[in-house]
């Protein structure tokens, strides 16, 4: 393996740890904060733990003697050029010259972490770490064999002050007040005006007795003391008025506080808990409903972007790979926050041995690989691939060991084949959608193997990927139906056509143009094919339609579907929406009155669709080294917005006559269908077939392109 | 796999956890208490961590409604028949009838553990546990697939009170006083009279300044403030006299306390820290020197029997598989404490993935398997085999993946091939000793595979074992030398004969009788073959000689070697002893003046030799269901002693004319060489070839057998 991506550039001092360990432990803490009606409700898959003993080291060339401060989470020793200082020094002096510093840390309860700060000697991601140094001197003074020791670069995440202990990390909070409060005899119904998340704070609590807080994403839920999904119980015992903040943050718009007669309460506020990520992308257009949809999608995504990308804030609050995968894509068009993508990727993967699929779901293992494919495409970050490659390999080993006799993925004991929440969806035999995701995962492995220079593996993964892609068509393509069928059972193609494999094959470019056109008609726009009702799979369905230039159609769908939720008073987008339901039926799911999450990340897909398929910006080489801009108004009069890239934003303003574009970095190509030859300052256009023009865009300047939309 | 060994019998309430997790975490704590001259000195191999999320369950048939108290280390929920109680209840009521109780616990910092106590519902080792229950209901109410969930019985270890928290476990201590104290100007040299272990306590400390405690296993070491191996630094700042106990327990006979002028100190005592195991075996004879050797061996072993069987108390204080293996054998003749064997076995093995040999040493991986072979032979405990079998398999998978092209074990990157501390010992090519241990490890796997009814695996392991045993003779046996040679390099047998593989092949019964006799002469009693200087390999050398009826020779060796240490003032037995050295030379090792450990477990081997080869007691079927007693006085006038078994002791008194024996359980066979037909009460003898008589012994009665030793 090529280690050229280790040892990337130095930075200021920061806390460091074994890559993934902080993330895994933080995920444990976060995911185990879920409660259901006051009861601890943990995940049902294996979760992992940190390495308790860690060696950190780096070689420095020190210009002149310096003193170095050392802060450590754990018991530790410090060695300079292999010789230990006595005790656990908080400060050492390092003479001028080339020196190796080792810090070995043991911490059972928390992640071993180190912060080192001298004039030139600082802890950062260029340090090397291992959980097994095999470094030993035998009785003759002969050094042990350390040739098999595996080093990675340290993990870090902007904990840049010595007092900012990684083990103490918590999201920031800010005070929020209610928009209205209805006071009852011994109760208070508080409305925060919109879906929110955080710690309820009870003010002026006094007396002796019991108090309950019933949370509701809807008013009905808060009022349903028997069926609301989350609640808190408080024992009050105070002769003085005092404030009390709940221990766990929760999701709600309404809270219904009920208390015994001997208890009094002045008011209720909350501490809004949020991830401090920066908004970079934007979208505005002439259609106010679309603008509202974009804003509520943004808020929905903000609420679900926490320590990690989670599924929904009320109920699961867990990291689900399929959900996270969509959050990554939305993130590239809003925050471009790579830290949260990496943190989520580490947390989902956990550690070896692999004992089950990610979240126990076969498709979710594959979405994990796909997430890395996209991460590389959007960021161009080879270093993360190198750091993560061994974990990718062992997870793929697990998958490969579970192929059936035909080399395909089929249900095995312990697997959950999810695909989608859809009535009567068959999981039997070999499901086409799983093979499709498997093929893309193998392509991801081949790509990453090449990045780390593991040539033999790259060849093997490519061969396997080609084989599965071929089988996808050999086994599932039905000429009569002009579609991929859903599955094969006992060696026979089934009759059933579902949308899943077909829509992914469009935007994965697995279909040729002819197949795409056929499938658009036979599947995507065919009402006979079972409809998708979750925003989860709507995400990909609408993406496929956009990839087939159906932006006008999709715009109407957006207004119907997301607009429909807004009309029903949604302040964030839901886990599921079925326009045929009425009233409180909308809140039901999983057989529970208020089982549905009214703020689910996968509900925010317009963020992605509007950025990628209306503004039309996407990378064509890793990290936006090159990119294309293919604006499509889809019936809008005008639109404008920003799309973030690793090196700054691409800003766009689009009408039917003019495209203004300015990009901070990368080599862009604006692709326009125009009735006339586009003109403008400083542009060189290339006519293509079918009246499509390509205009090269360099960073820094604003381009004003005049054209005439068809 | 056959689970018939799960669900073993109920007992009183006790704290339970995932098997191995308490042990692994305790080992982490213990092994990381090592310091070297005041500096934290951790192990250099991977150490593992507990599962943070655990499901405990059991189905009970409750005769009448009962209340059940619940104590948990961690956050938890409790379910009765799948339905959760609100919050984390400390007491629940269970109605009469058949009910399933689940407790799910999350604990990041400590091992998730549970203590449950009702009238009939109690937590014990019959509960089942898993770290991955995969138990989930989908949106339709369909239960998820839990068919792949692996359950084990809970681990436990006599934490029988609710307040005895596993996370707070510490060995007991008792006060000990010095036998002499030399007071200097600002110093105190304290002698505890013999090697000891524990926390130094400073009495009447007052003033302001620095104080240092220098520890010595010898007086010279304590006085050598520059070179003693362990020390403590104390900052004194008190106007009142106070006592202070050191934070870490240490090994020493002498302590040298030195302090600043402005500091005063009244006296020094200690808290002796020990494992509370019961002595069961014993040995006494007419030779006072042998009795003294036995007693000092016993004390040496007591000091090294702690939370686990460790190598030596001063320096490493680590769990080394090769050292632990010998402790297991000694344990079977002194404490018969199965808990410490199991605990040590779990701690050494750690968890998957296997990333290196145990302690990084190839031979030590094999000794781990051998330890299980013996554990089963001595205890007959199939349940532990069933609980441990998966870990055995994955460790053997690691080994099998590291065979060379000829299927043999040869050095690979990262391996340490130890064998013994011996000058110039070659580790090149394929070393015969490693193949021998490999063969026995495969035999162990086959044995255990049969126990858990994994028939296919048993066949495979047996085939592999037979192949390696055949190769051992095909490749290494040299007819001219009448011995196994040390190694093969580049396909060629080397010239060198060492004792290792030859002596093991004797007591493993790999040699036939003719080979044994030949090897005794050509190797064991041949001064041309490189001598063994460590008690570690002396252990096996003397065992091989005893197995060849050389008890008289071995008795002299014991008196020379162990008697030699006693004559040099040893109060416990050493890591290494070379009679040609003088004075403080005896304290040197690893290039350090006081590097040698003067209290090393492997120095206590007379415990084993006297029990197994003089009293002559050993199991011939698992758990002493049958056993043989083949007393051999080796030149002694008389000897008497006890040998523990799982169901009570075997008591013996032996002279040249009479054997008295009484056994608590098992079917024994006393094997005697006698010039005359043995007589006695109630015995039935069977004459055998060569004047060897066998006398059957049943439990309960005392047998007095009169005979005439040859």
């Amino acid at each position: 393996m090529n280690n050229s991506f280790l040892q990337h550039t130095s930075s200021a001092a920061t806390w460091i740890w074994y890559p993934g360990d902080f993330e895994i432990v933080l995920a444990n803490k976060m995911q185990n904060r879920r409660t259901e009606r006051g009861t601890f409700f943990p995940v049902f898959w294996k979760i992992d733990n940190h390495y308790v003993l860690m060696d950190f080291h780096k070689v420095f060339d020190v210009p002149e003697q310096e003193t170095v401060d050392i802060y450590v989470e754990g018991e530790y020793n410090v060695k300079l050029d292999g010789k230990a200082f006595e005790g656990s020094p908080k400060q050492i002096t390092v003479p001028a010259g080339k020196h190796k510093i080792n810090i070995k840390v043991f911490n059972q309860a928390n992640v071993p972490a180190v912060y080192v700060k001298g004039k030139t000697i600082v802890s950062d991601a260029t340090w090397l770490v291992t959980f097994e140094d095999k470094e030993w001197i035998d009785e003759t003074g002969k050094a042990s064999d350390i040739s098999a020791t595996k080093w990675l670069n340290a993990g870090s995440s902007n904990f840049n002050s010595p007092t900012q202990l990684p083990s103490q990390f918590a999201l920031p909070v800010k005070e929020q007040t209610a928009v209205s409060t209805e006071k009852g005899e011994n109760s208070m119904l508080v409305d925060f005006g919109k879906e929110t998340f955080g710690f309820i704070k009870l003010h002026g609590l006094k007396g002796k007795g019991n108090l309950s807080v019933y949370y509701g994403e809807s008013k009905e839920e808060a009022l349903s003391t028997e069926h609301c999904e989350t609640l808190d119980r408080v024992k009050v015992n105070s002769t003085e008025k005092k404030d009390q903040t709940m221990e766990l943050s929760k999701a709600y718009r309404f809270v219904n506080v009920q208390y015994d007669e001997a208890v009094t309460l002045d008011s209720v506020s909350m501490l809004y808990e949020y991830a401090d990520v920066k908004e970079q992308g934007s979208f505005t257009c002439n259609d106010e409903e679309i603008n509202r949809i974009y804003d509520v999608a943004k808020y929905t995504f903000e609420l679900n972007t926490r320590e990690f990308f989670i599924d929904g804030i009320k109920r699961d609050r867990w990291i689900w790979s399929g959900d996270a995968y969509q959050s990554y894509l939305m993130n590239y068009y809003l925050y471009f926050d790579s830290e949260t993508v990496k943190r989520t990727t580490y947390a989902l993967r956990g550690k070896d041995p692999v004992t089950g699929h990610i979240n126990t779901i076969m498709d979710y293992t594959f979405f994990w690989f796909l997430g890395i494919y996209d991460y590389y495409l959007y960021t161009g970050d080879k270093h993360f691939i190198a750091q993560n490659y061994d974990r990718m390999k062992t997870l793929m080993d697990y998958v490969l060991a579970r192929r059936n006799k035909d080399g395909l993925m089929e249900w095995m004991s312990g697997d959950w084949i999810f695909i989608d929440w859809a009535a009567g969806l068959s999981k039997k035999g070999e499901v086409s959608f799983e093979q499709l995701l498997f093929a893309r995962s193998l392509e991801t492995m081949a790509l990453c193997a090449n990045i780390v220079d593991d040539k033999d593996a790259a060849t093997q993964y490519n061969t396997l990927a080609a084989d599965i892609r071929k089988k996808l068509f050999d086994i599932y393509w039905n000429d009569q139906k002009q579609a991929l069928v859903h599955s094969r059972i006992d060696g026979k193609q089934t009759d059933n056509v579902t949308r899943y494999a077909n829509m992914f094959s469009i935007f994965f470019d697995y279909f040729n143009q002819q197949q795409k056109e056929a499938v658009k008609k036979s599947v995507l726009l065919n009402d006979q094919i079972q409809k998708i009702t979750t925003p989860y799979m709507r995400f990909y369905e609408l993406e496929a339609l956009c990839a087939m230039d159906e932006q006008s159609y999709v715009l109407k769908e957006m207004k119907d579907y997301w607009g429909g939720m807004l009309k029903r008073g949604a302040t964030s987008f839901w886990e599921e929406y079925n326009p045929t339901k009425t009233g409180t039926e909308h809140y039901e799911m999983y057989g529970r009155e208020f089982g549905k999450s009214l703020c689910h990340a996968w509900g925010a897909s317009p963020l992605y669709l509007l950025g990628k398929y209306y503004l039309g910006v996407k990378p064509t080489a890793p990290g936006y080294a090159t990119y294309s801009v293919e604006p499509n108004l889809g019936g809008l009069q005008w639109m404008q917005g920003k799309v973030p890239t690793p090196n700054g934003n691409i800003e766009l303003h689009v009408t039917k006559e003019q495209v203004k574009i300015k990009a901070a970095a990368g080599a862009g190509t604006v692709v326009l269908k125009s009735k006339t030859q586009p003109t403008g300052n400083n542009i060189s256009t290339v006519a293509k077939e079918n009246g499509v023009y390509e205009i090269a865009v360099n960073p820094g300047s604003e381009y004003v392109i005049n054209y005439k939309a068809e």
Side-chain angles (χ1 to χ4, degrees), chain A residues 297 326 330 535 538-539 542 562 601-610:
Chain A
Q326 299 194 343
M330 296 185 274
R538 284 294 271 175
F539 186 106
L542 298 181
W562 281 269
W602 70 29
S605 56
L607 295 177
Y608 173 62
L609 297 173
L610 293 168

Side-chain angles (χ1 to χ4, degrees), chain A residues 404-406 408 410 428-432 471 475-476 485-494:
Chain A
N404 72 9
K405 64 174 172 34
D406 294 330
L408 299 175
E410 189 180 353
K428 288 205 185 102
E430 300 131 333
V431 176
S432 57
K471 283 179 176 155
I475 293 175
Y476 301 103
V485 302
H486 182 70
S487 58
R488 183 174 81 164
I489 300 178
D490 297 332
K492 281 192 199 139
Q493 211 187 60
T494 57

Side-chain angles (χ1 to χ4, degrees), chain A residues 476-485 493 495 497 518 522 526:
Chain A
Y476 301 103
W477 180 260
N478 185 310
D479 261 333
Q480 206 187 330
K481 295 177 192 284
Q482 287 291 299
L484 296 168
V485 302
Q493 211 187 60
D495 261 352
V497 173
S522 61
N526 180 356

Side-chain angles (χ1 to χ4, degrees), chain A residues 371-591:
Chain A
I372 290 172
Y373 185 98
D374 290 335
Y375 176 75
Y376 179 61
L377 178 62
Y378 278 89
T379 67
D381 177 1
K382 292 182 175 178
H383 182 254
F384 180 65
I385 305 295
Q387 292 272 96
N388 207 33
Y389 182 66
D390 282 347
R391 293 176 216 225
M392 297 181 67
K393 272 211 302 197
T394 46
L395 181 57
M396 185 50 84
D397 288 345
Y398 176 80
V399 170
L400 294 176
R402 290 172 84 81
R403 286 172 293 176
N404 72 9
K405 64 174 172 34
D406 294 330
L408 299 175
M409 294 305 293
E410 189 180 353
W411 181 89
M412 279 179 76
S413 184
D415 294 353
W416 181 359
I417 294 183
F418 174 62
I419 309 173
D420 193 14
W421 295 133
L425 195 62
S426 169
K427 318 289 174 74
K428 288 205 185 102
E430 300 131 333
V431 176
S432 57
F433 182 58
E434 302 293 338
Q435 317 314 321
L436 171 132
L437 296 178
F438 182 27
R440 186 62 143 204
S441 300
L442 286 164
E443 288 166 8
T444 306
M445 285 308 303
L447 173 81
C448 295
N450 272 319
I451 289 172
V452 300
D453 219 15
D454 189 357
K455 295 293 181 202
D456 289 349
T459 305
Q460 285 164 28
Y461 290 128
N462 268 323
T463 306
L464 286 168
D467 176 56
I468 301 295
R469 263 178 84 158
K470 183 169 181 304
K471 283 179 176 155
L472 186 67
F473 286 89
D474 290 352
I475 293 175
Y476 301 103
W477 180 260
N478 185 310
D479 261 333
Q480 206 187 330
K481 295 177 192 284
Q482 287 291 299
L484 296 168
V485 302
H486 182 70
S487 58
R488 183 174 81 164
I489 300 178
D490 297 332
K492 281 192 199 139
Q493 211 187 60
T494 57
D495 261 352
N496 189 24
V497 173
T498 53
R499 293 172 189 259
Y500 310 106
N502 289 294
M503 63 203 194
F504 274 72
S505 291
I506 289 175
F507 54 77
F508 277 6
D509 265 333
Y510 280 11
F511 286 146
N512 59 34
Q513 198 55 35
Q514 191 194 332
Q515 287 168 321
K516 282 184 187 175
E517 295 295 343
V519 163
K520 179 171 155 185
K521 205 174 133 199
S522 61
V523 182
L524 291 185
L525 302 174
N526 180 356
D527 280 351
Q528 304 302 101
I529 306 293
Q530 186 179 9
K531 286 222 169 65
I532 287 171
T533 61
T534 57
Y536 175 51
M537 278 291 148
R538 284 294 271 175
F539 186 106
Y540 302 115
E541 186 184 27
L542 298 181
E543 168 155 29
L545 285 162
C546 287
M548 296 299 296
D549 292 328
E550 290 291 337
Q551 273 79 351
S552 301
Y553 177 91
V554 171
L555 199 78
K556 280 189 214 90
E557 291 283 308
M558 257 193 242
K559 287 164 75 75
D560 270 8
Y561 193 85
W562 281 269
M565 284 190 257
L566 292 182
K567 286 193 186 86
R568 277 163 181 83
T571 61
S572 57
F573 290 125
W574 304 350
E575 184 173 15
E576 194 193 45
Y577 169 59
N578 182 342
T580 65
K581 290 189 175 170
T582 58
T584 55
E585 280 175 14
H586 285 295
Y587 307 143
E588 291 172 14
M589 206 167 169
Y590 308 102

Side-chain angles (χ1 to χ4, degrees), chain A residues 184-188 257-263:
Chain A
E185 189 92 9
N186 289 292
S187 70
M188 220 175 262
V257 187
Q258 303 211 339
Y259 35 96
D260 291 349
E261 274 183 33
V263 172

Side-chain angles (χ1 to χ4, degrees), chain A residues 615 638-641 651-655 658-661:
Chain A
L615 293 178
W638 61 266
M639 60 184 175
Q640 68 175 21
E651 295 176 33
L652 268 175
H653 186 283
V654 180
T655 69
Q658 198 175 64
V659 173
K660 285 193 216 161
I661 180 167

